[in-house]
Amino acid sequence: MGFLLYIFIVRRLVVGLVAVLSLSLVTAQISVAAVTPGAKCSKAGATSTYNGKKYTCIKSGKKLVWNKGVVISKPTPTPTPTPTFIEPAAPTSFQNLSENYLGVLYWAWKKTKIQLNSNQAVTKEIVVLKGPNTLLPKLNDQLGADLVSQLFSNFDQPKKIYTIFYSIQDIAWAQSEFSKVSYKSDGQEAQSNCKTPDTCGGGSAQIDLKGNAISMSALMDSAISNIGHENGTALAHEYFHAIQETQFLDSDKMSEAYCCIKRWIPRWYVEGQAIYVQTATIFNASYKEYLADRKSSISELTSDKVYTKDWFMQYLSIPPVSSNWDKYRQWKEYDVGSLVLECLVALKGPDNSMQLVKDVGAGMTYEQSFLKNYGITWEAAIPILADTLYKIVSQGV
C-alpha cells in the first residue's frame, strides 16, 4: 500500500511540474508575441515590448488597438573621465631642488618646449656625403639639426654641416673625406666609430676654423641600430656637440676644442647635455614620448642599486682633467650627465646650460662659470645634485 501511495504521489508531482512548465512556456510565448500596430488588444493602458519598441493598448473609436509604439532608447553609458594631468611642483632653486625632484623631468621638458617654440629657426646648409658601399636608412637628420639649432638660436653655431655616413666597408673612404674638411685629424676618427661589424654605430662631431660642423656617422647593417637617424636624435646629438665647440671658436682654447672641450668641462656635462638636448628637442611635442625615450637611456641607473647618493657624490666630484674617469664605464658620462642637465634646465632653462659652456670658452673655469650661471658654488651644489639624482633613480622616475 505504501509503495502504491508513493507512486501516486510521484505521478502527481510530475503532472504538476509539467503543468507549471507548460504554463511558463505559454507565458513566455505571450510576453514575446509579435505586436502589430493597429492590431486588437484587450485592455486599455496595457503595454508590450517587441523588437526594440514599447507598444501601448489605446482606444480607437470603439476598439482597443496597439499604437505605433515608441523606440526604447538605450541608456548612454557614463564616460570614464580622463585623468587630469597635474603639473608637479617646479624646483625654483638649489635650496628646493631635492625636495621637488619629481618635478625635474617635467620642467626640464616644459622649459625646453617653451623656449623652442619662442625661438626662430636658424638657416643652415647640410651637405650629405655617403660611402660608395653604404646604404642610407630613412633619414630624419634634418629635423634633428633644425630643432637643436632653433633651441639655441641665441648662440653662435655652424651655418654649414658636413654629414659623413659610412659602413664598415667604407672606413677608408670616410677617413679620407673627413680629413679634407677637418681642422685637425689623427687619422683614426672613422675607425674609432666603427671598430667591428657589431659596434659600427658610433658618431662624432667637430668644427673647423671657419666654424663649419663636421659630423661622422657609422652605420650598421641592422635597421634597428640606425633608429637614431630615423627619428632625428643621432644628428641632433652630434650637431649639438658642434654648437658646444663653436663657443670656443677664436679663443685661445680652440687648438684643443676641436676634439676635447672635456679638458675644461666635466665629461658628463658635455655628453649629458647632448643626450638631454636630443631627447628634449625631438620629443618636444609629447611629454609621454620624452619619458619613454629617456627611460631607455637611464635604465641601468634605475635598475642597479650600486648608484647611491655617495656614488653620485664621488662621480660628480671628479675634476674635468683627471685619471679617475678611467675607473668608470664611459656610458656614465651619458646617463648620469643627462640627469644632471635635466636638473639644471629645470632650474634655469636651456640657455643657462649653454651659457656655462660659452663662459668657459671665453676664459672662465668650469667652477667660475657654474657660480655665475647658477648662483651657487659647484662644491655646494654637488651634495644637492647627488641627493636629487639618487631620489630620481631609486624611485624609478
Side-chain angles (χ1 to χ4, degrees):
M1 185 69 178
F3 178 76
L4 292 177
L5 179 60
Y6 173 79
I7 295 297
F8 175 76
I9 293 173
V10 170
R11 284 181 176 177
R12 291 295 299 270
L13 288 173
V14 171
V15 171
L17 180 59
V18 170
V20 170
L21 290 174
S22 299
L23 180 60
S24 298
L25 290 173
V26 171
T27 302
Q29 290 173 351
I30 291 174
S31 65
V32 297
V35 176
T36 303
K40 183 178 179 181
C41 55
S42 58
K43 183 179 179 182
T47 61
S48 181
T49 300
Y50 178 72
N51 276 358
K53 283 188 176 183
K54 182 178 180 180
Y55 298 90
T56 303
C57 186
I58 61 175
K59 190 171 183 181
S60 178
K62 295 182 179 181
K63 296 181 180 180
L64 292 174
V65 297
W66 293 112
N67 68 356
K68 295 181 179 180
V70 178
V71 175
I72 301 173
S73 60
K74 296 181 180 180
T76 303
T78 303
T80 303
T82 302
T84 302
F85 176 77
I86 300 175
E87 291 184 335
T92 57
S93 69
F94 269 90
Q95 283 63 45
N96 63 21
L97 177 64
S98 178
E99 173 188 348
N100 295 315
Y101 75 96
L102 289 175
V104 166
L105 283 64
Y106 176 77
W107 287 103
W109 171 82
K110 181 71 174 290
K111 289 186 177 182
T112 301
K113 178 182 178 69
I114 292 173
Q115 181 165 305
L116 183 63
N117 291 339
S118 63
N119 286 358
Q120 297 297 316
V122 177
T123 302
K124 72 188 71 62
E125 177 186 358
I126 296 183
V127 179
V128 177
L129 303 174
K130 181 184 76 69
N133 302 299
T134 300
L135 297 176
L136 287 182
K138 179 182 178 181
L139 296 177
N140 234 331
D141 282 331
Q142 179 75 51
L143 172 66
D146 286 348
L147 290 176
V148 171
S149 61
Q150 182 171 329
L151 180 62
F152 294 102
S153 61
N154 296 326
F155 295 86
D156 292 335
Q157 51 185 282
K159 297 299 186 291
K160 190 172 187 177
I161 313 167
Y162 295 92
T163 58
I164 302 173
F165 293 97
Y166 64 101
S167 59
I168 196 167
Q169 295 89 351
D170 291 326
I171 289 179
W173 170 88
Q175 189 62 51
S176 175
E177 293 298 318
F178 179 78
S179 298
K180 292 177 184 178
V181 292
S182 173
Y183 161 46
K184 283 187 178 181
S185 172
D186 60 16
Q188 298 298 317
E189 287 86 359
Q191 182 69 57
S192 297
N193 294 331
C194 185
K195 295 180 180 179
T196 68
D198 294 332
T199 59
C200 187
S204 59
Q206 62 173 246
I207 59 172
D208 62 19
L209 290 178
K210 296 178 181 179
N212 296 316
I214 308 161
S215 169
M216 298 188 73
S217 296
L219 301 175
M220 297 174 67
D221 293 335
S222 173
I224 194 171
S225 302
N226 300 315
I227 187 65
H229 294 288
E230 294 188 10
N231 63 26
T233 55
L235 190 58
H237 183 106
E238 300 305 340
Y239 180 61
F240 176 74
H241 279 318
I243 298 178
Q244 287 175 321
E245 293 173 13
T246 301
Q247 308 317 305
F248 286 73
L249 190 64
D250 299 326
S251 74
D252 58 0
K253 297 176 180 178
M254 181 58 199
S255 61
E256 296 295 339
Y258 80 98
C259 74
C260 310
I261 64 173
K262 297 174 185 178
R263 288 176 59 86
W264 301 284
I265 301 174
R267 298 183 183 191
W268 55 260
Y269 194 103
V270 176
E271 294 296 351
Q273 192 178 23
I275 289 289
Y276 141 71
V277 166
Q278 72 177 51
T279 305
T281 51
I282 294 299
F283 303 108
N284 74 88
S286 170
Y287 181 52
K288 183 178 180 180
E289 291 182 10
Y290 172 79
L291 291 179
D293 190 78
R294 73 177 290 283
K295 183 178 181 180
S296 63
S297 67
I298 65 166
S299 59
E300 183 182 295
L301 293 176
T302 56
S303 62
D304 196 332
K305 294 183 178 180
V306 71
Y307 301 106
T308 62
K309 179 180 177 180
D310 287 341
W311 188 95
F312 287 115
M313 283 275 293
Q314 294 173 16
Y315 190 78
L316 296 179
S317 298
I318 302 174
V321 179
S322 172
S323 61
N324 288 334
W325 293 111
D326 297 334
K327 298 178 181 179
Y328 300 91
R329 289 181 58 229
Q330 187 179 8
W331 180 246
K332 296 303 103 191
E333 301 172 20
Y334 297 80
D335 55 9
V336 175
S338 66
L339 292 184
V340 177
L341 265 295
E342 278 184 331
C343 292
L344 299 182
V345 174
L347 288 172
K348 295 284 188 176
D351 270 2
N352 270 55
S353 69
M354 183 60 82
Q355 186 62 46
L356 181 147
V357 177
K358 183 175 181 177
D359 290 339
V360 173
M364 285 187 177
T365 65
Y366 169 75
E367 289 78 8
Q368 290 170 337
S369 183
F370 191 89
L371 176 60
K372 174 196 168 187
N373 287 282
Y374 294 100
I376 186 175
T377 66
W378 174 238
E379 183 180 4
I382 289 175
I384 299 174
L385 285 168
D387 187 53
T388 305
L389 265 57
Y390 173 65
K391 287 181 177 178
I392 290 174
V393 301
S394 62
Q395 297 300 316
V397 176

